[in-house]
Amino acid sequence: METTLRGVGVSHGVAIGEVRHMGTAVLEPPAKQIPAEEAGREQGRARKAVEAVAADLIARGNLAGGEAQAVLEAQAMMAQDPELMADVDRRIAVGSTAERAVYDAFAAYRELLANAGEYLAGRVADLDDVRNRIVARLLGVPMPGVPDSDEPYVLVARDLAPADTALLDPTLVLGFVTEEGGPTSHSAILARALGVPAVVALPGAGELAEGTLIAVDGSTGEIFVNPSDEKKTELRAAAAERKAALAASTGPGATADGHKVPLLANVGGPSDVPAAVEAGAEGVGLFRTEFLFLDDSKNAPSEKKQVEAYRQVLEAFPEGRVVVRVLDAGADKPLDFLTPADEPNPALGVRGLRALLDHPDVLRTQLTALAKAAEGLPVYLEVMAPMVADRADAKAFADACREAGLQAKFGAMVEIPSAALRARSILQEVEFLSLGTNDLAQYTFAADRQVGAVSRLQDPWQPALLDLVALSAEAAKAEGKSCGVCGEAASDPLLACVLTGLGVTSLSMGAASIPYVRATLAKYTLAQCERAAAAARAADGADEAREAARAVLSGE
């Protein structure tokens, strides 16, 4: 009998296949005492297992590249955390086996994270994955991971760790469904980069029986269990129609009446560039530079290393616009040389621009490297600061750019509600705004982007978030300056129309989403987008806003 479930669709497309569940490691090793003379051997075993897991995560990251590489390198740093290892050694010294010491030390750290505010609580899934990999290696049992299968399938899991999502084989994994996660979680972002249909935050996903036939609609978030032949035909026809529309849509982004909306790509490093170019990106709207700094948490990369990496990306977009975000460290991306180690809530502490202003040498080196990388290239370089709170922040960043001799436009990211509310003031110091809707939603609703239980509040369709977008866009228009969106909200084709209607001047997203957004924008006039935006803002909730916009655009 066909039944329908609904989660949050985070990656477009339709997948029809049998359920296969994610394998898990034996989580809790037996508790037994070891003689004191064996402590040294057990400590050595623990260190070797940690080093092997960290090396495996880094190797997976190198293979995956881009977004995945940065996420996996952060996990490797988590595995090698010196405080965690000191706790493991201490537990072994008083009689625990290596595997039990790792299990208990991670459990204690897990509790600290879970109680350290919602932002850090979202790192618990990544921490659990690291623990499971280390314990599995020590116990000699299979690593957690995707199941072995010769036939394509739909992967179902409570949550997908970045290490698993990064290396999914799209020829075997037709799509995936998770019980946890949100629209801006690591797994959702990587799914879009892979082009794999995905639905997250589906209650009871783990109860889907192994081998059950399901159909996953990554656009609507619907899961059809035991779909009828008619439903399968309907979904395949809709998918074919979307594919044809994508193939027919080429060129710069624009509405049906010719209003230009440049479609840019979010990139996490040079490895993301080929996909962006292939998708027809008109430039880069968000060049995340953290990948360079995560290699070594204790030391900043040299100016020379930075110049080489930046130039690779800049050279790929001659005559195009490349917007670089300077280092956004802190919160879930701590760096020993930059961010405090003892903050009670790092998400609300010294993060982003605040950390850079506390370490002006790091900021100066990065800005100088960007200036040198752009020398002689016909590229339109723009540089923006993360986590700008007010005009003073914007001025400090602009002054630093000028002092470094940077010939580029200087901008500010709007990720904090105060920046949206005082956007016109900030624009007295910088030349453009870029809305990071992931963090803006998180800080607006006090809802961590990694926590599935609050995914309702992470939804970028929330009218309060749309109000903040509108405030920013209106301020930019009044000042004769630009206001783009580089958060994951831009990857939703319907929402892209609404953002355009709110006055946003460019949209930046993962490369895989660009064709969908281009094709959808081309269907509607600017006036229709404006009416859809007004209808969405007039709604009381995200679902109502989405339906109101859809009704306007479909002529209902």
Side-chain angles (χ1 to χ4, degrees):
M1 178 180 173
E2 180 180 312
T3 56
T4 303
L5 308 173
R6 183 180 287 277
V8 179
V10 296
S11 185
H12 302 295
V14 170
I16 301 175
E18 293 186 356
V19 168
R20 294 286 182 274
H21 284 273
M22 173 70 74
T24 56
V26 175
L27 294 183
E28 185 168 1
K32 62 179 183 180
Q33 291 292 108
I34 60 169
E37 60 269 21
E38 292 184 14
R41 180 177 65 84
E42 289 296 288
Q43 288 169 340
R45 286 181 64 226
R47 280 192 292 274
K48 285 182 180 178
V50 166
E51 289 166 5
V53 167
D56 178 60
L57 290 168
I58 290 170
R60 286 168 176 260
N62 290 336
L63 284 172
E67 298 266 10
Q69 185 171 10
V71 172
L72 293 175
E73 286 175 348
Q75 269 198 298
M77 287 167 52
M78 187 182 284
Q80 297 170 305
D81 184 279
E83 291 185 19
L84 259 175
M85 285 311 301
D87 192 19
V88 169
D89 283 344
R90 183 185 62 78
R91 291 173 187 274
I92 292 173
V94 295
S96 284
T97 62
E99 46 267 41
R100 187 70 205 191
V102 167
Y103 181 85
D104 290 339
F106 271 74
Y109 193 41
R110 186 187 200 280
E111 186 175 357
L112 285 174
L113 284 187
N115 295 323
E118 291 185 352
Y119 197 95
L120 284 180
R123 304 284 78 76
V124 165
D126 290 359
L127 185 72
D128 287 348
D129 180 60
V130 172
R131 175 202 65 196
N132 289 351
R133 290 174 185 278
I134 297 170
V135 171
R137 183 169 287 274
L138 287 165
L139 291 174
V141 301
M143 286 284 178
V146 297
D148 290 327
S149 176
D150 296 328
E151 297 296 323
Y153 57 90
V154 176
L155 183 61
V156 176
R158 184 173 182 273
D159 200 357
L160 283 173
D164 299 312
T165 317
L167 296 181
L168 288 177
D169 182 351
T171 63
L172 281 177
V173 181
L174 302 171
F176 64 75
V177 179
T178 66
E179 190 162 341
E180 295 293 326
T184 59
S185 66
H186 286 149
S187 291
I189 293 170
L190 295 176
R192 286 189 283 271
L194 287 167
V196 176
V199 171
V200 301
L202 178 74
E207 297 171 15
L208 290 168
E210 187 86 1
T212 302
L213 184 69
I214 65 172
V216 180
D217 190 328
S219 299
T220 66
E222 292 174 305
I223 305 293
F224 302 95
V225 183
N226 296 314
S228 65
D229 289 342
E230 291 79 9
K231 176 58 71 175
K232 286 187 281 187
T233 300
E234 175 189 327
L235 289 170
R236 285 175 176 140
E241 184 180 336
R242 283 198 288 263
K243 187 174 181 180
L246 294 181
S249 177
T250 58
T255 59
D257 55 340
H259 174 73
K260 292 183 179 180
V261 187
L263 302 181
L264 312 171
N266 294 343
V267 303
S271 60
D272 285 347
V273 168
V277 173
E278 185 179 350
E282 298 168 60
V284 173
L286 172 61
F287 179 8
R288 301 180 177 96
T289 57
E290 288 74 39
F291 74 101
L292 279 167
F293 293 81
L294 292 172
D295 284 342
D296 181 355
S297 70
K298 300 186 184 302
N299 301 287
S302 68
E303 180 183 296
K304 180 182 177 183
K305 182 178 180 180
Q306 292 189 57
V307 170
E308 291 171 352
Y310 301 150
R311 196 169 179 90
Q312 285 184 59
V313 175
L314 296 176
E315 286 176 336
F317 295 94
E319 306 295 337
R321 178 186 179 201
V322 176
V323 184
V324 180
R325 180 181 70 190
V326 294
L327 175 63
D328 183 14
D332 62 334
K333 293 172 284 191
L335 294 171
D336 293 346
F337 66 85
L338 193 70
T339 50
D342 56 354
E343 288 187 303
N345 190 343
L348 300 179
V350 183
R351 177 189 169 188
L353 180 62
R354 298 169 187 175
L356 291 174
L357 294 177
D358 280 353
H359 297 79
D361 54 323
V362 176
L363 178 58
R364 188 183 307 111
T365 299
Q366 184 169 27
L367 294 174
T368 302
L370 284 165
K372 291 182 177 179
E375 284 178 1
L377 294 180
V379 67
Y380 296 96
L381 176 64
E382 301 184 11
V383 182
M384 62 186 181
M387 304 301 293
V388 170
D390 57 14
R391 183 172 179 173
D393 278 351
K395 183 179 188 304
F397 178 66
D399 288 346
C401 289
R402 281 187 283 267
E403 288 169 11
L406 194 60
Q407 299 297 311
K409 285 187 175 181
F410 319 140
M413 291 198 70
V414 177
E415 302 166 284
I416 303 173
S418 64
L421 294 168
R422 300 291 294 171
R424 196 159 183 181
S425 171
I426 288 171
L427 283 166
Q428 305 309 304
E429 304 293 342
V430 294
E431 297 171 85
F432 69 93
L433 300 177
S434 184
L435 288 142
T437 52
N438 304 352
D439 271 322
L440 185 58
Q442 176 168 255
Y443 289 118
T444 298
F445 297 103
D448 190 292
R449 55 195 279 192
Q450 301 293 330
V451 179
V454 293
S455 63
R456 175 182 73 84
L457 297 171
Q458 301 154 2
D459 193 324
W461 281 93
Q462 285 285 358
L465 186 67
L466 299 181
D467 287 344
L468 293 176
V469 173
L471 277 175
S472 303
E474 288 163 5
K477 184 177 181 181
E479 293 296 327
K481 297 179 179 179
S482 63
C483 177
V485 167
C486 65
E488 290 299 313
S491 66
D492 178 336
L494 185 64
L495 185 51
C497 295
V498 167
L499 295 173
T500 298
L502 292 173
V504 166
T505 56
S506 66
L507 299 167
S508 189
M509 65 209 76
S513 298
I514 291 175
Y516 290 93
V517 173
R518 182 193 292 120
T520 304
L521 267 178
K523 293 180 182 177
Y524 307 109
T525 65
L526 177 59
Q528 286 176 297
C529 293
E530 289 171 342
R531 288 197 294 273
R537 288 183 69 189
D540 290 322
D543 290 341
E544 296 92 331
R546 187 182 289 106
E547 290 309 312
R550 183 176 285 117
V552 169
L553 293 177
S554 63
E556 294 177 10

